[in-house]
Amino acid sequence: MTISPPAPVNLAAPLPGGAELVELYLKHIGSGRAVMGRVMGGMAEVRSEGPWIHTDDGRRFLDFGGYGVFLLGHRHPAVVEAVHRQIDTHPLASRVFLEPVAARAAQALAAHTPPGLDYVHFVNSGAEATEAALKLARAHGRNAVITTRKGFHGKTLGALSVTANATYQRPFQPLLPDTTQVSYGDPAELKQALAARRDRACVIVEPVQGEGGVRIPEPGYLREVAALCEEFGALLVVDEIQTGMGRLGTWWGVDAEGVRPDILLVGKGLSGGVVPIAAMAATEEAYAPFSRDPYLHTSTFGASPIACAAALATVETMEREDTVARAATLGARILAGVRALCAPYQEVLVHDVRGRGLLIGIEFTEEQAVGELLLELIARDVLVNHSLNSTRVLRLTPPAVVEDDALDLFFTTLAEALHTTALRMTG
């Protein structure tokens, strides 16, 4: 039997949309994602800039979602220009010679990490940063891992082991051995777990649990965690993949309490919303095994010039535009506005509104309300996110580049969507 070769892909052909795009998802990406796309309206996103995403049907959406990636908005001109320049010169490296863009990006990032976290290991995603941290901890003999309930650190195998959600873990068990979950915000439970694992534990924690539903611990919690790690000889890994790079109105969530972890995980915002990149930053002592042997943990595309150009431009842009201060001011304004709009629905529909900087969560009294409000907002051209580890929390991660007219549009739209959702939920 003669088998005909596949038809060549025509890169100049118009991009698919509508029913054709859904069909391609069904055939080649997955039925679940295809169904989700259809429920959301079946639109295809085709262009973006600043706080806006454009779809193939001519609509423009205000992006208050993006899972924390777009602090600088979409396609910030300075980051795009840096990436274009790198593409035109040297986008990927041989990994034989030294590469200056990675070195400059590491220097720029280390200038803003907590004091002493001077060593930077670039990777391609937040989950990879978690994997690097877990491996580095094991290189120090810390093979017992303590994580927090509702914590989210990624879905690769090691990262999934410390992402405390049975829904995602169960199909892939057994995961990493000797992994223990403790309650977030409870130093006493952490102390008990550490006492049983003296000098062989690694603790991983978020300053604010993002996917956990924007859970903010009591003041002093991170200081107590750091003190307990020092007392029991544990390595402290702080996951700032979502909370870092200015998202909370400070460069890092640990800044509020002056905590210096052994290892800091960076991601999402480091990309500038243009090229994926993440990083693990560490103290000289913690980083020593990777520093001595550069082949102990490697990645073909890690620290690529194109991604490091985006990271370097992101840090420089944030310095120049004072993005962190802008996030703090804008975040306080949005949080106050959301609380005011939700107040009439308190306990009837809304249980709590909480946030720090540009990470804000609306917790509802019923899980169904999250989906209802999300769809109402999409119908009115506003995008937000649900929370993977907290099904009753709708999450807002606005960019720091939102201007007054867009903010007014968001408040008006949220008011309408809340009213419609409340009517539907209460009958």
Side-chain angles (χ1 to χ4, degrees), residues 153-184:
H153 307 285
K155 292 180 182 173
T156 51
L157 201 63
L160 181 60
S161 301
V162 291
T163 290
N165 187 327
T167 300
Y168 305 127
Q169 289 182 332
R170 196 176 295 114
F172 306 102
Q173 291 174 335
L175 299 169
L176 289 183
D178 206 350
T179 299
T180 303
Q181 298 177 15
V182 298
S183 298
Y184 185 68

Side-chain angles (χ1 to χ4, degrees), residues 337-347 350 353 362 364 414 418:
V338 172
R339 280 178 170 160
L341 291 172
C342 289
Y345 308 99
Q346 203 72 26
E347 298 309 325
V350 176
V353 178
I362 307 173
F364 292 90
L414 179 60
L418 280 167

Side-chain angles (χ1 to χ4, degrees), residues 121-129 275-279 299-304 307:
H121 179 86
F122 287 115
V123 291
N124 304 292
S125 68
E128 288 181 54
V275 179
I277 186 170
S299 165
T300 299
F301 295 113
S304 68

Side-chain angles (χ1 to χ4, degrees), residues 402-423:
V402 174
E403 300 293 345
D404 286 351
D405 56 345
L407 192 54
D408 291 342
L409 172 64
F410 170 74
F411 287 142
T412 300
T413 303
L414 179 60
E416 295 171 354
L418 280 167
H419 179 69
T420 302
T421 301
L423 288 177

